[in-house]
Each structure stands twice: as structure tokens, then as C-alpha cells.
Amino acid sequence: MRETELKLELSQSGARSLLKKNPFGSPPTILQQRSIYFDTTGWDLSKRGLSLRIRQSGNERIQTLKAGDGAAAGSFTREELERPVAGDTPILDDPRIRDLLAGDGRKLTPLFEVHVKRHRWNVIDGDATVEVALDAGKVVAADREASLCEIELEKKAGSPRALFALARKVDLITPAHLGVLSKAERGYRLLSSAPGAVKSAATPLTSEMSAATAFARIAAACLKQFRLNETALGWSRDADALHQARVSLRRLRSLCSICKSLFDDSRFDHLREELKWLASELGEARNIDVMIGRASSEALSSRLQDARDDAYAAVEASLSSVRARSLMIDATEWISIGDWRTQSDEKLHEQSSRNLASGVFDKFWKKVAKGGNDLIDADDETRHKVRIAAKKLRYAAEFFEPLYNSKAEAKRHRRFIEAMKGLQDHLGSLNDIATAPDMLAALELSDVAGAKDLFSAEDKSKLLKDAAEAHDAFVSTRRFWR
């Protein structure tokens, strides 16, 4: 059995508003649920993309084994195996669990629990039937606990578009943010160190996978990275979380750009523009963070800190806007069930992920190699174009890394990424110097002591030489995809 669901996060007050207005057409069924999640002490199930729980509702206990893509964002399609059990001890007859526990003394143990009050509805919308579950409660792990308030929309029959229609209806009543963590993932995060900025991680891909499937998986992972960092920003004005939120949007925009030949979909261009808007809303705060790190005078640093407060307040307003929330829901719908998924174009459905990747690598390698031939004498705009091409090449190399997993390919890939990092670092620093005067002028800080130190000619001269050397090293580094 496979489940398809969309998850949204609500505030406690938002849940109360939703219950009060009850847009689902009937009174809810109310259940008290307690779920125990099992794994080895080394989290071997989690590492294999599995979760195992026993959920108790009244006197009934159901054991559920789930397998799915940990990179999914909001919209989950997962294999789910359920069976009734008599108590709180799992039945371990699934071969995946038996094989995992064989030898080495591994055994399953309860790791954490989830306690919720569930309000449940069955909603019929045309030919679709959707189970709506509003869960409010907590996750408990050892001596830690975290509150939980989310709504799950699970397709039981008909088109999955009904999930997104319901999500938009919920968001009209109370702010509903795309949910990217399963309850199991919440428990594992609670057992880990305090969550902060979340960097990108490799997305599982195979050479047999179609270009369409590879794109959808990587795009979903980018959305998940954004939402996790957006959540971290809700706790504190963490510069690293802001940076990684921006990185995730840049990665998703780059992915759309390098794969744009795959799509003939009217919504594609609109979503790209909305992603560009959201990334730009984070830009000023990030630029100020960079300048604070380089500020050489106390006077400039103090004025930048004041500007930072205003910039982060603007970021918070943008992230909490209807426009930003709608973008996450729209992007998830387009990635998971957009019209492009059913197009008959053979480029999309017959091209392999590896063929797509190699074409992308060749295209952007040539742009970086040719464009950076004369970095020292080039103007700022030319260097900026090389920086953008280098960024897209670097992201592409990271996106498709799992497709090049032989020992030799992996070694060449590591060397290539190191060469890319060196070039990008120098080009990024040159871009900071080039844009600093305009940013300082916009903040009315051009005449503050230490302002000119942010874009000195001496620093630029050294960076130009370093960038040219890094470009030579990049060109001479063997390409891992050939």
C-alpha cells in the first residue's frame, strides 16, 4: 500500500481557529493517540529510510512500517505496511528488518513517543476523497519534548489535486506553512543536537532514473532545505540559517534553469519568478551580514547592526506573508503532480538522469572556462556572469553526484568540487567588493568610518590574481563526467 499525503504546519491558535470554523463539512471524529517509534541505538532503520511505530488509539494498536524518500517536501508518497498487534512489542517478520537485525547483536528499542489529540474528517471533493487529520500534541524523547501542531491531508481516492485545494482553503482561515518533517523525523531531530542551519545533502539518484524523476527529487530536497532553515529563522535571527535558506532557493532556481529544456508548462516561468522574488527578499539581510563580518570599525559595525535589525524584520514579514506560503504550496504541487509530469515529450520521460547531467556539465563548463579566460582585465559585469555560471556548474555537480559513484569517478568529483570552491570563493569576494559601494549608499553609510575598507583597491588587486590562478586550476582539473 502507498500513501499520498500533504502536510501543513499550524500554530496552536491557528488550529483553534480552524476547529471553530470547521470548513470540512461535518463534525470531526476525535481520538487520543500514542505512538511509540522503534529503531536500533545506531538508528539503522532511519539510515535506510524506514520508520517503525506502534500507534494506540483507544484499545486498538496498529503497527506501521513506512519506507519513503527522506528528501520529500510537504507531499509524501510512501510505502506503508500496517498490521494490528496485541501490545507494545513490534512483530519483526518483514525481511528488511530481519536482514538489518541479523548478526552484530543489533536489536530494536523504543526511541521516542508522539502523543496527540487527533481531529479527523473524511472530505469528498468531486471524485476525490481526502482524510483530514489535525494533530495537536507533543513529541517526547528521553528528557526532551517538543510541541506538535500539524494537519495531514491524505488522498484516499481520486486526484491528488484535491489535497492542494484543501491546503489553500485551510490557509485562507489560518496561516498554514508547508510541512516537511514526518513525525518520525521530528523524533530523531529531538534526539539530536539543537537544530540550526541546515545545509544541503545528497539526494538519492540512480543512473536508470529518468531526468523527470531526478529533477523532482532534487527540487523537493531544495524545498525541504528551505523550510527547515525558515523554521530555524523563526527561533532566532541566525545568519547561517538565513544564508542556507537563501542557498536552498538559489539551488532550486539553478536547478530550474539548468533543466528548463525539459519543460513546456505555463506555470514554470511563474514559479521561477516567485522564487526569484523570495530570494531577493532575503538578499539585503544576507548582504549586511557579510559586511558586518568584514567591518573594520566599531562605528560601521554598530550602524550595520541597526540596519540588520530592520532587514531581518523585513525578512520575517516576507516569510510570514500569504505570497510566501502560497509559493511553497504551489511549488510542491507543480513538482509532484504538475502537467509536465504527464507530458508525452520523450526528452522528459526517456532521457536518463545521467545523460541530462552530462549535457548540463558540458554546457556550463564551457561557459566558465571561456568566460574566465581574462578575469584580471575583465569588467565587474563579466566576472559576475562567470560567477553565476560557476555557481550553476557547482550546484549541478552536487545535484548529480550520486550518479558518479565508482571509485575513480568519486575521486575525480572530489577534486573537481575543490577546484570549483576555490574559484567561487574568489569570485564571490570580488562580487562583494563590487557591490559594497551601492549597498552602503542605499543604507546611507558611505561616509561612516571604515566604509571604504569594504572595497579597497588593494584587496581587489590581490583577489583578481587569486581568482585568475583559481580559474587556471579549475580548467586543468579533470572533468569527472568524462
Side-chain angles (χ1 to χ4, degrees), residues 375-376 383 430 433 455-468:
L375 285 176
I376 292 179
R383 283 192 292 269
L430 284 166
I433 289 175
F455 51 94
S456 73
E458 184 178 336
D459 286 346
K460 184 173 183 178
S461 177
K462 182 179 185 307
L463 279 170
L464 285 171
K465 292 178 181 178
D466 291 342

CSV table of all heavy atoms in Angstrom, one decimal, residues 375-376 383 430 433 455-468:
chain,number,residue,atom,x,y,z
A,375,LEU,N,40.2,37.1,-16.4
A,375,LEU,CA,39.5,37.7,-15.2
A,375,LEU,C,40.1,39.0,-14.7
A,375,LEU,O,39.4,39.8,-14.2
A,375,LEU,CB,39.5,36.6,-14.1
A,375,LEU,CG,38.5,35.4,-14.2
A,375,LEU,CD1,38.7,34.5,-13.0
A,375,LEU,CD2,37.1,35.9,-14.3
A,376,ILE,N,41.4,39.1,-14.8
A,376,ILE,CA,42.1,40.3,-14.3
A,376,ILE,C,41.6,41.5,-15.0
A,376,ILE,O,41.4,42.6,-14.4
A,376,ILE,CB,43.6,40.1,-14.3
A,376,ILE,CG1,44.0,39.0,-13.3
A,376,ILE,CG2,44.3,41.4,-14.0
A,376,ILE,CD1,45.5,38.7,-13.3
A,383,ARG,N,32.8,39.4,-14.9
A,383,ARG,CA,33.1,38.5,-13.8
A,383,ARG,C,31.9,38.0,-13.1
A,383,ARG,O,31.9,36.8,-12.6
A,383,ARG,CB,34.1,39.2,-12.8
A,383,ARG,CG,35.5,39.3,-13.3
A,383,ARG,CD,36.5,39.7,-12.2
A,383,ARG,NE,36.2,41.1,-11.8
A,383,ARG,CZ,36.8,42.1,-12.3
A,383,ARG,NH1,37.7,42.0,-13.3
A,383,ARG,NH2,36.5,43.4,-11.9
A,430,LEU,N,35.2,39.0,-4.9
A,430,LEU,CA,35.2,40.1,-5.8
A,430,LEU,C,33.8,40.8,-6.0
A,430,LEU,O,33.7,42.0,-6.2
A,430,LEU,CB,35.8,39.6,-7.2
A,430,LEU,CG,37.3,39.4,-7.2
A,430,LEU,CD1,37.6,38.6,-8.5
A,430,LEU,CD2,38.0,40.7,-7.2
A,433,ILE,N,33.0,43.1,-3.1
A,433,ILE,CA,33.7,44.4,-3.3
A,433,ILE,C,33.0,45.2,-4.3
A,433,ILE,O,32.9,46.4,-4.1
A,433,ILE,CB,35.2,44.1,-3.7
A,433,ILE,CG1,36.0,43.6,-2.5
A,433,ILE,CG2,35.8,45.4,-4.2
A,433,ILE,CD1,37.4,43.2,-2.8
A,455,PHE,N,35.8,47.9,0.3
A,455,PHE,CA,36.0,47.7,-1.2
A,455,PHE,C,37.3,48.4,-1.6
A,455,PHE,O,37.4,49.2,-2.6
A,455,PHE,CB,34.9,48.3,-2.0
A,455,PHE,CG,34.4,49.7,-1.6
A,455,PHE,CD1,34.9,50.8,-2.3
A,455,PHE,CD2,33.5,49.9,-0.6
A,455,PHE,CE1,34.5,52.1,-2.0
A,455,PHE,CE2,33.1,51.2,-0.3
A,455,PHE,CZ,33.6,52.3,-1.0
A,456,SER,N,38.4,48.1,-0.9
A,456,SER,CA,39.7,48.7,-1.2
A,456,SER,C,40.3,48.2,-2.5
A,456,SER,O,40.1,47.0,-2.8
A,456,SER,CB,40.7,48.5,-0.1
A,456,SER,OG,41.1,47.2,0.0
A,457,ALA,N,41.0,49.0,-3.2
A,457,ALA,CA,41.7,48.6,-4.5
A,457,ALA,C,42.7,47.6,-4.2
A,457,ALA,O,43.0,46.7,-5.1
A,457,ALA,CB,42.3,49.9,-5.2
A,458,GLU,N,43.4,47.7,-3.1
A,458,GLU,CA,44.5,46.7,-2.8
A,458,GLU,C,43.9,45.3,-2.6
A,458,GLU,O,44.5,44.3,-3.1
A,458,GLU,CB,45.2,47.1,-1.5
A,458,GLU,CG,46.4,46.2,-1.1
A,458,GLU,CD,47.1,46.7,0.1
A,458,GLU,OE1,47.0,47.9,0.4
A,458,GLU,OE2,47.7,45.9,0.8
A,459,ASP,N,42.8,45.2,-1.9
A,459,ASP,CA,42.2,43.9,-1.7
A,459,ASP,C,41.7,43.3,-3.1
A,459,ASP,O,41.9,42.1,-3.4
A,459,ASP,CB,40.9,44.0,-0.8
A,459,ASP,CG,41.3,44.2,0.6
A,459,ASP,OD1,42.5,44.0,1.0
A,459,ASP,OD2,40.4,44.6,1.4
A,460,LYS,N,41.2,44.2,-3.9
A,460,LYS,CA,40.7,43.8,-5.2
A,460,LYS,C,41.8,43.3,-6.1
A,460,LYS,O,41.7,42.2,-6.8
A,460,LYS,CB,39.9,44.9,-5.9
A,460,LYS,CG,39.3,44.5,-7.2
A,460,LYS,CD,38.4,45.6,-7.8
A,460,LYS,CE,37.7,45.1,-9.1
A,460,LYS,NZ,36.8,46.2,-9.6
A,461,SER,N,42.9,43.9,-6.1
A,461,SER,CA,44.1,43.5,-6.9
A,461,SER,C,44.5,42.1,-6.5
A,461,SER,O,44.8,41.3,-7.4
A,461,SER,CB,45.2,44.6,-6.7
A,461,SER,OG,46.3,44.2,-7.5
A,462,LYS,N,44.6,41.9,-5.2
A,462,LYS,CA,45.1,40.5,-4.8
A,462,LYS,C,44.1,39.5,-5.2
A,462,LYS,O,44.4,38.4,-5.6
A,462,LYS,CB,45.3,40.5,-3.3
A,462,LYS,CG,45.8,39.2,-2.8
A,462,LYS,CD,46.1,39.2,-1.3
A,462,LYS,CE,46.7,37.9,-0.8
A,462,LYS,NZ,46.0,36.7,-1.2
A,463,LEU,N,42.8,39.8,-5.0
A,463,LEU,CA,41.7,38.8,-5.3
A,463,LEU,C,41.7,38.5,-6.8
A,463,LEU,O,41.4,37.4,-7.2
A,463,LEU,CB,40.4,39.4,-4.8
A,463,LEU,CG,40.0,39.2,-3.4
A,463,LEU,CD1,38.8,40.0,-3.0
A,463,LEU,CD2,39.8,37.7,-3.0
A,464,LEU,N,41.9,39.5,-7.6
A,464,LEU,CA,42.0,39.2,-9.1
A,464,LEU,C,43.0,38.2,-9.4
A,464,LEU,O,42.8,37.3,-10.2
A,464,LEU,CB,42.2,40.6,-9.8
A,464,LEU,CG,41.0,41.5,-9.9
A,464,LEU,CD1,41.4,42.8,-10.5
A,464,LEU,CD2,39.8,40.9,-10.7
A,465,LYS,N,44.2,38.4,-8.9
A,465,LYS,CA,45.3,37.5,-9.1
A,465,LYS,C,44.9,36.1,-8.6
A,465,LYS,O,45.2,35.1,-9.3
A,465,LYS,CB,46.6,37.9,-8.5
A,465,LYS,CG,47.2,39.2,-9.1
A,465,LYS,CD,48.4,39.7,-8.4
A,465,LYS,CE,49.0,41.0,-9.0
A,465,LYS,NZ,50.2,41.4,-8.2
A,466,ASP,N,44.4,36.0,-7.4
A,466,ASP,CA,44.0,34.7,-6.8
A,466,ASP,C,42.9,34.1,-7.7
A,466,ASP,O,42.9,32.8,-7.9
A,466,ASP,CB,43.5,34.9,-5.4
A,466,ASP,CG,44.6,35.3,-4.4
A,466,ASP,OD1,45.8,35.1,-4.8
A,466,ASP,OD2,44.3,35.8,-3.4
A,467,ALA,N,41.9,34.9,-8.2
A,467,ALA,CA,40.9,34.3,-9.0
A,467,ALA,C,41.4,33.8,-10.3
A,467,ALA,O,40.9,32.7,-10.8
A,467,ALA,CB,39.8,35.4,-9.2
A,468,ALA,N,42.3,34.5,-10.9
A,468,ALA,CA,42.9,34.0,-12.2
A,468,ALA,C,43.6,32.7,-12.0
A,468,ALA,O,43.5,31.8,-12.8
A,468,ALA,CB,43.9,35.1,-12.7
